[in-house]
Amino acid sequence: MPAARIGRRRFMKSSLAAAAAAWSAPAIMRRALGANADIRVAVVGFHSHGQTHIANYLAMSGVRLVALCDADSKVLADAIAKHARPGQKIDGYTDIRQMLDRKDIDAISVATPNHWHALAAVWGCQAGKDVCVEKPVSHTIWEGRQIVRAARKYGRVVQGDLDMRSSPANWQAAEFLRSGKIGKPVLARGYCYKRRPSIGKAGPGGGKIPSSVDYNLWCGPAPKGPLPRVHLHYDWHWQWATGNGEIGNNGPHHLDLIRWLLGEAGLPRRVLSLGGRFGYEDDGQTPNTQIALYDYACCPVIYETRGLGSKAGDNHMGPFAATGPGGLKVADGFIDPHPTGVAPDNGAFILCQDGYLDMHNLAAFDRNHRKIIEFSKEGRRDPQSNFIAAVRSRKIEDLRTDILQGHLSSALCHMGNISYRLGRAADADAVRKRLAESADAPEAFARMIEHLSANRVDIAQTPATVGPWLTMDSAAERFTGPQADQANALLRREYREPFVIRDEV
C-alpha cells in the first residue's frame, strides 16, 4: 500500500502494539543497550537544519543511519545518494507513519517545519522510538505538554534540541552565577538580530508547489489549501499556520539559556509583546521586529528580535547595546565578520547587583566592565551526541535538555507570540503607557524606534502592534485574568485529520 494511504487507525494499532510489547515491564531502564550495540537512527525532515543531524549521526561510532524521511521526494533522493555508504543501506520514506512501523529503528531526529514537530515526536513515542526534536519542540504550548506526557507514558528518551546546554562555557557561567560573586540577577536580556528579507507576495491562486512534494504530507496538521506564499520551503517560518516567527526560530535557544541560568523551573507570571512587520509588505504574518517581556519572580526578562539591517540599504546587522538598571551599559562588541555576507548577532546578558554575564563573549564583568572571568570555549559537543548517550544509558537525567525543559523554553516563545497576536496598533505614546510599569522596557522600545528610523520606518505612519499583559498560571499552563479566553484559545491549534495529536496520548 502506498505510504500516503496508510490510515491513522492502522498506524495507531501497530505502533501502540509495538510500544506495549516493548514496555510491558516498568521504567525507562528496560531497554538498556550494550556498549557495543549500534543505535539505528532515522532523520525526519532535512531540507535545512536536518542536514546537521544527519552529519552528526554519520560521524558517530556505534550509530547507523538507516532511514530518511521527507515529504519532498527530490530532497529525499538527493540525501540518500549523498550519504549512502558501502554496505550500509539507507531507506527513504515520504510518509513518517510507514517509517515508524519499522521495528528496527531505535531513535528518530525530527527537523521538519515547526507544525510537524510535536506530532512526529508523539507518534515516535507511541511507536517505541526515542526522539530528538528540533526547536521549538512544539507549534503551541499545549502540544509541548503533550510530548512530555507521551515521553513519560511510553518511557522514551526525548530530547529538545536546544543548543545552549551543549556548551561547557554555559555550564561554567551557570555555576559562576550561582556562586553569588556578582550578586543576584536584576535583569536578563536576550536578542537575535538576523537579516530577514521580504518573502514577496504570491498573488491570486497562491505560490507554485514543487512537483516533487507530497503537499498533503507536507501540510500534515496544518490547513491544506493554495500555497499562501511564493516559496514552500523555509518561508513557512513567517506564517502562523506553520511557523512561530523569529522568536520561535532562534528564541528557544536564548530563552532556554536565560531560564536555565536564572534557575527558573516554570513559566513566568506575566508576558507582554510588541512589534510589527516593518519595511516591506509581503505574505509574512509574524513580526520581523519584536520585543517580548517576561515577568519572572527572579527578575524581568526582555527578549528582542530584529530582521532589518542596521540601516536602510545595509543588510549587515549592528551590535547589541543597551542600558540597564542603575545606568549600567552593556554591549556585545559585535562586528560582522562576513563582508560579503550577513552574519547574525545573538546572545544574552544577565545583569546582576555587582556585575553581569555577557553570554555573547562568554565572560563575566563587574559593574566597571572589568573582566572577572572568561569561560572556556573548548569542549562543545553537538546535541545529537548527548541524545545518543542518553539513549544508551536509558537515563533521562543524562539529557542536557530533556523534553520538559525544551517544552518550557519553547512555551516562552509561544507566550510572547500570543500576546502579540492579541495586540492592536498603537502610537508611540500609547506603547510607552503600556510599558510604564516596567523599569527597563521603555529603553528597549526607544532603541527599537531608533533602529526602525535608521531603516526609514516611521512608526507614526506604520504603528507598532502592542499586546496586552497576559497572566499565566504556570502549574496549569493556562492564562488567567483579562483576555484569558482569547489567549487560551491560542494554546492549541485545529488539526487536520488524520494528522491529529489526541487529548489522550
Side-chain angles (χ1 to χ4, degrees):
M1 177 181 293
R5 295 178 59 193
I6 295 176
R8 173 69 175 152
R9 180 176 297 177
R10 175 185 160 190
F11 168 76
M12 286 296 295
K13 183 177 179 180
S14 62
S15 59
L16 288 176
W23 294 95
S24 56
I28 197 170
M29 292 293 291
R30 183 168 307 99
R31 188 180 166 277
L33 293 164
N36 297 319
D38 281 351
I39 307 295
R40 297 159 298 184
V41 176
V43 176
V44 187
F46 40 85
H47 190 265
S48 183
H49 195 55
Q51 292 286 350
T52 302
H53 290 236
I54 291 172
N56 288 339
Y57 290 128
L58 287 174
M60 296 180 203
S61 61
V63 174
R64 282 191 290 131
L65 181 69
V66 298
L68 294 173
C69 180
D70 199 287
D72 189 327
S73 60
K74 183 181 186 305
V75 170
L76 180 63
D78 289 348
I80 290 175
K82 176 181 178 181
H83 299 297
R85 299 289 188 274
Q88 183 174 328
K89 182 182 179 183
I90 300 175
D91 293 316
Y93 300 87
T94 56
D95 193 321
I96 187 176
R97 294 168 294 185
Q98 188 179 44
M99 189 192 76
L100 290 176
D101 270 338
R102 283 182 50 169
K103 307 301 186 291
D104 62 340
I105 293 176
D106 302 308
I108 65 171
S109 255
V110 179
T112 61
N114 296 2
H115 66 289
W116 256 106
H117 284 181
L119 182 61
V122 168
W123 281 3
C125 291
Q126 291 171 334
K129 318 301 183 190
D130 298 319
V131 181
C132 173
V133 58
E134 262 295 338
K135 50 74 187 171
V137 302
S138 59
H139 189 251
T140 66
I141 293 175
W142 179 84
E143 280 189 347
R145 179 52 64 175
Q146 292 299 90
I147 311 174
V148 177
R149 289 181 176 130
R152 304 302 187 244
K153 179 176 180 178
Y154 296 101
R156 307 319 307 168
V157 173
V158 182
Q159 173 178 270
D161 194 24
L162 282 65
D163 291 350
M164 294 301 180
R165 302 194 193 206
S166 297
S167 169
N170 293 342
W171 286 86
Q172 295 167 26
E175 183 178 0
F176 178 83
L177 182 64
R178 286 162 197 159
S179 73
K181 292 179 181 178
I182 54 174
K184 294 181 180 179
V186 294
L187 174 66
R189 294 185 181 274
Y191 56 97
C192 180
Y193 296 174
K194 192 167 187 177
R195 185 70 177 101
R196 300 296 186 186
S198 169
I199 66 172
K201 295 184 75 68
K208 184 178 180 180
I209 300 164
S211 60
S212 59
V213 172
D214 185 321
Y215 191 53
N216 180 58
L217 290 175
W218 191 96
C219 292
K224 182 188 174 192
L227 181 63
R229 56 189 178 276
V230 177
H231 302 293
L232 174 71
H233 294 304
Y234 204 82
D235 289 348
W236 53 262
H237 279 291
W238 323 127
Q239 295 183 323
W240 294 121
T242 49
N244 303 96
E246 193 63 77
I247 195 173
N249 189 35
N250 282 291
H253 293 309
H254 310 117
L255 288 168
D256 181 62
L257 174 62
I258 289 170
R259 191 176 63 81
W260 173 42
L261 291 173
L262 295 180
E264 289 288 354
L267 300 178
R269 299 174 295 196
R270 295 188 306 160
V271 64
L272 179 149
S273 184
L274 63 100
R277 195 164 184 84
F278 300 108
Y280 43 71
E281 293 185 8
D282 61 5
D283 286 325
Q285 299 168 322
T286 64
N288 64 11
T289 306
Q290 187 174 10
I291 299 172
L293 314 176
Y294 300 95
D295 179 19
Y296 267 115
C298 171
C299 70
V301 175
I302 301 177
Y303 188 74
E304 304 175 39
T305 68
R306 294 181 182 178
L308 300 177
S310 60
K311 61 183 179 180
D314 185 354
N315 285 334
H316 298 281
M317 310 308 294
F320 177 88
T323 302
L328 179 62
K329 295 183 178 180
V330 293
D332 64 11
F334 171 79
I335 299 176
D336 191 330
H338 302 289
T340 60
V342 180
D345 183 24
N346 53 74
F349 285 87
I350 309 295
L351 285 70
C352 300
Q353 294 166 322
D354 302 316
Y356 59 93
L357 294 183
D358 176 352
M359 301 310 297
H360 177 89
N361 293 299
L362 299 177
F365 298 83
D366 65 19
R367 290 189 67 86
N368 294 314
H369 307 291
R370 293 181 296 228
K371 186 181 294 185
I372 301 171
I373 184 174
E374 186 170 347
F375 307 115
S376 173
K377 298 179 177 64
E378 303 298 322
R380 179 184 174 88
R381 299 186 67 194
D382 60 88
Q384 285 70 49
S385 294
N386 177 236
F387 171 58
I388 292 299
V391 168
R392 288 192 183 281
S393 73
R394 313 309 299 160
K395 295 179 181 178
I396 291 175
E397 58 269 27
D398 286 347
L399 288 172
R400 295 196 188 98
T401 313
D402 170 56
I403 187 58
L404 175 60
Q405 304 308 322
H407 156 58
L408 291 169
S409 295
S410 297
L412 293 179
C413 307
H414 302 324
M415 286 179 65
N417 279 335
I418 289 172
S419 174
Y420 175 83
R421 294 179 71 178
L422 295 181
R424 296 181 178 180
D427 62 31
D429 287 340
V431 174
R432 293 186 188 100
K433 184 176 181 180
R434 182 70 56 86
L435 301 179
E437 60 185 281
S438 169
D440 300 287
E443 183 269 350
F445 179 56
R447 286 187 291 102
M448 187 184 97
I449 293 176
E450 182 180 359
H451 165 66
L452 292 175
S453 178
N455 279 277
R456 299 174 187 160
V457 175
D458 182 356
I459 65 167
Q461 302 298 319
T462 311
T465 294
V466 58
W469 276 108
L470 296 174
T471 303
M472 170 61 74
D473 180 338
S474 181
E477 295 182 355
R478 290 187 63 81
F479 293 100
T480 62
Q483 294 191 249
D485 289 345
Q486 299 97 307
N488 286 327
L490 296 174
L491 289 176
R492 61 188 293 178
R493 70 175 306 141
E494 292 293 327
Y495 292 93
R496 189 173 65 91
E497 290 285 355
F499 308 100
V500 181
I501 298 177
R502 309 293 177 184
D503 289 346
E504 185 61 46
V505 294

